[in-house]
Amino acid sequence: MKRDTREIPYDCPIEATLGLIGGKWKALILDHLTDGALRFGSLQRLMPKVTPKMLTQQLRELEKDGLVERHVYPVVPPKVEYELTDFGQTVLPILDAMCVWGREYLDDQRKKDRKKS
Amino acid sequence: MKRDTREIPYDCPIEATLGLIGGKWKALILDHLTDGALRFGSLQRLMPKVTPKMLTQQLRELEKDGLVERHVYPVVPPKVEYELTDFGQTVLPILDAMCVWGREYLDDQRKKDRKKS
DNA sequence: CTGTATCCGAGTCGATACTG
DNA sequence: CAGTATCGACTCGGATACAG
């Protein structure tokens, strides 16, 4: 992800996928949005370690790539919601697969760590 | 991702997964190794755009994370083969899923591009 | 509330040359 | 053949301050 010459089209589908969801916080954002639309502030509270700058940047890229939709409500105070598009929904199985696999990996790691100590 | 503070354990399984296979060329390397062990030079020829430095770096990380095994044959000229471990094999379904999804995305993109022109 | 602007250091990556 | 060493450009991302 990053990390990417995003203008040059990807030859490899795997690279393309990583380009779309491999960004530093994208998978996490996508994950949080699975339960429904969220406001900017809510996302920030869910990911305290992400600066507003990064959050905006990642959201804009997700929007550009058609995974997320941005809804602006013309009210005061400003209200903006982010929501998965239909296309965005289609990545969820991949995210799930990564989650399952990652969890097993982490469990194994922890077992090894316990053995060592 | 390189992109990673690899010493700090990942809290999120998805992040962990991306940490292991999200590196700039890792998915591609893994993909090439699915058909069997390959030598350093063969990998280089399959990925001409990857410098030896990067190839070495990515391979070492894959090795450290237990996805790939490095076999050194003490002969002249030197011969080194890289091979997926059993654990490395378990990522392949994820790679496949990303590949399928990425291909559909790329196809859609191309359709849109044709419409525009 | 939802961002943007600016600065700046750390890390990444390519190019090139070289080694056992 | 299979790498390593070194340099430098570039990028990423954090901190901070500010704006509509």
Side-chain angles (χ1 to χ4, degrees):
Chain A
M1 248 160 288
K2 178 194 13 162
R3 53 167 56 58
D4 335 304
T5 39
R6 205 163 297 273
E7 313 314 328
I8 297 165
Y10 296 100
D11 36 328
C12 166
I14 296 178
E15 295 290 307
T17 301
L18 284 174
L20 295 192
I21 66 170
K24 191 157 199 205
W25 306 107
K26 290 184 185 174
L28 217 43
I29 293 172
L30 258 16
D31 193 46
H32 285 308
L33 289 179
T34 57
D35 298 328
L38 284 175
R39 302 182 57 170
F40 189 86
S42 310
L43 282 169
Q44 258 196 311
R45 253 168 276 118
L46 287 168
M47 302 176 284
K49 288 182 305 188
V50 186
T51 60
K53 173 185 161 186
M54 285 310 297
L55 187 52
T56 302
Q57 184 189 109
Q58 301 280 297
L59 283 168
R60 289 291 137 85
E61 289 187 11
L62 288 170
E63 190 190 359
K64 176 173 76 61
D65 293 330
L67 293 162
V68 159
E69 249 169 3
R70 182 166 177 266
H71 302 290
V72 182
Y73 299 90
V75 298
V76 285
K79 175 177 173 181
V80 179
E81 278 190 342
Y82 295 91
E83 185 177 19
L84 287 183
T85 61
D86 290 344
F87 178 55
Q89 304 274 353
T90 65
V91 268
L92 297 184
I94 296 182
L95 250 37
D96 279 345
M98 296 201 315
C99 195
V100 169
W101 190 84
R103 188 152 39 226
E104 274 177 37
Y105 171 73
L106 290 176
D107 286 350
D108 285 0
Q109 286 300 105
R110 277 191 274 272
K111 272 181 207 159
K112 282 181 198 165
D113 283 355
R114 267 202 297 280
K115 264 188 200 169
K116 265 191 278 184
S117 61
Chain B
M1 243 140 220
K2 82 292 281 245
R3 48 148 66 50
D4 333 303
T5 39
R6 204 164 297 273
E7 313 315 329
I8 297 164
Y10 295 99
D11 36 328
C12 166
I14 296 179
E15 295 290 306
T17 302
L18 284 175
L20 295 192
I21 66 171
K24 190 157 198 206
W25 306 106
K26 289 185 185 173
L28 217 42
I29 293 172
L30 258 15
D31 194 46
H32 284 308
L33 289 179
T34 57
D35 297 328
L38 284 176
R39 302 181 59 169
F40 189 86
S42 310
L43 282 168
Q44 258 196 311
R45 253 168 276 118
L46 287 168
M47 303 176 283
K49 288 183 305 188
V50 186
T51 60
K53 173 183 159 188
M54 284 311 296
L55 187 52
T56 302
Q57 185 190 108
Q58 302 279 297
L59 283 168
R60 290 291 138 85
E61 290 186 11
L62 289 170
E63 189 189 359
K64 177 171 76 63
D65 292 330
L67 293 162
V68 160
E69 249 169 3
R70 182 166 177 266
H71 302 289
V72 183
Y73 299 91
V75 296
V76 284
K79 176 177 172 180
V80 178
E81 278 190 343
Y82 295 90
E83 185 176 18
L84 286 184
T85 62
D86 290 345
F87 177 54
Q89 303 274 353
T90 66
V91 268
L92 297 185
I94 296 183
L95 249 36
D96 279 345
M98 296 201 314
C99 195
V100 169
W101 189 84
R103 189 152 39 225
E104 274 176 38
Y105 170 73
L106 289 176
D107 285 350
D108 285 0
Q109 286 300 106
R110 277 193 273 273
K111 273 182 210 161
K112 282 182 199 165
D113 284 355
R114 266 201 297 280
K115 264 190 202 169
K116 265 190 279 183
S117 61

